[in-house]
Amino acid sequence: MCFPIFVPSLRDRREDIPALARHFVARFAAEEHKSVSGLTPDAANLLERFNWPGNVRQLENTIFRAVVLCDTTLLDICDFPQIAAALGIEAKSHRSIAISQDRASAGHSSHTVATPIHAAPYGLNGTDAAGHMRKLEEIESEVIRMAIARYDGHMSEVARRLGIGRSTLYRKLKELGLEGDASNGESDQHTPRHATG
């Protein structure tokens, strides 16, 4: 006998957003070998204010992209540019503040000059925690996931930037078990018609 279960949308249970966000940060930081450990209070507040029309899946994808692209230990408003823009919030000024706070908490002076926003946004490790070389398949999988996040799931652009054909990209997604990552991003139907694939 089946019983229907009603799960309210994420915007109707905003109190769950911080816990879900922390869970996704921890999960993706571990999976992507990133040092991200949490969110700044401003970033957490930003996520709670957003309506999340895509519910938990949208939050999950948003956190993944932010973790992959983040080069500090805390996600800040600037790591969620689309969410900030939707809420009419200026995000560009927050990265340097976050970096300064990270360095200050690590025992450095709070007056340390912040690293430019675009400096080394990706941290791709060739070795595992034990110092051994990672399998090529793992690194390839991570690069593809980074590209999907970087280009918002536009697969024609992902393939072009990786220097492979779309059919090759989709074959690799299947081989590496990443089909879900492709479907989670924005589909190619949103890509401008003049874009090449």
Side-chain angles (χ1 to χ4, degrees):
M1 186 174 185
C2 296
F3 296 95
I5 299 176
F6 173 73
V7 179
S9 61
L10 194 55
R11 65 176 172 270
D12 294 328
R13 49 190 175 100
R14 295 176 188 272
E15 66 277 4
D16 291 343
I17 293 176
L20 286 169
R22 286 193 299 270
H23 166 74
F24 290 137
V25 168
R27 172 184 155 195
F28 292 131
E31 289 180 2
E32 304 301 325
H33 305 283
K34 303 285 287 189
S35 60
V36 183
S37 61
L39 299 97
T40 65
D42 286 342
N45 180 259
L46 180 81
L47 298 184
E48 287 189 63
R49 289 176 55 193
F50 190 62
N51 280 333
W52 301 107
N55 288 311
V56 177
R57 179 59 62 88
Q58 184 183 11
L59 175 63
E60 180 181 17
N61 292 338
T62 299
I63 295 291
F64 169 69
R65 290 172 184 164
V67 168
V68 168
L69 297 173
C70 184
D71 57 357
T72 66
T73 59
L74 293 176
L75 297 177
D76 200 13
I77 288 179
C78 59
D79 294 300
F80 304 100
Q82 294 175 333
I83 304 300
L87 294 174
I89 295 174
E90 174 63 49
K92 294 181 180 178
S93 62
H94 287 263
R95 168 60 76 214
S96 60
I97 296 172
I99 292 176
S100 296
Q101 289 175 342
D102 286 346
R103 291 184 174 178
S105 65
H108 298 286
S109 169
S110 60
H111 299 292
T112 302
V113 177
T115 302
I117 293 174
H118 298 293
Y122 301 104
L124 185 65
N125 295 321
T127 57
D128 59 22
H132 299 294
M133 296 303 298
R134 296 172 59 199
K135 292 180 180 179
L136 189 59
E137 180 179 288
E138 292 178 5
I139 296 176
E140 184 178 41
S141 173
E142 187 171 340
V143 168
I144 291 174
R145 291 183 71 177
M146 283 181 176
I148 291 172
R150 175 66 180 82
Y151 300 107
D152 293 326
H154 295 158
M155 305 310 284
S156 294
E157 184 69 4
V158 170
R160 188 172 76 83
R161 294 292 180 175
L162 293 178
I164 58 177
R166 279 187 55 167
S167 59
T168 300
L169 175 60
Y170 283 111
R171 177 174 53 79
K172 288 183 177 293
L173 289 172
K174 186 174 182 180
E175 290 174 355
L176 298 170
L178 298 177
E179 292 119 318
D181 290 85
S183 63
N184 288 345
E186 296 178 22
S187 64
D188 278 343
Q189 65 183 358
H190 297 296
T191 304
R193 293 184 182 279
H194 63 270
T196 57

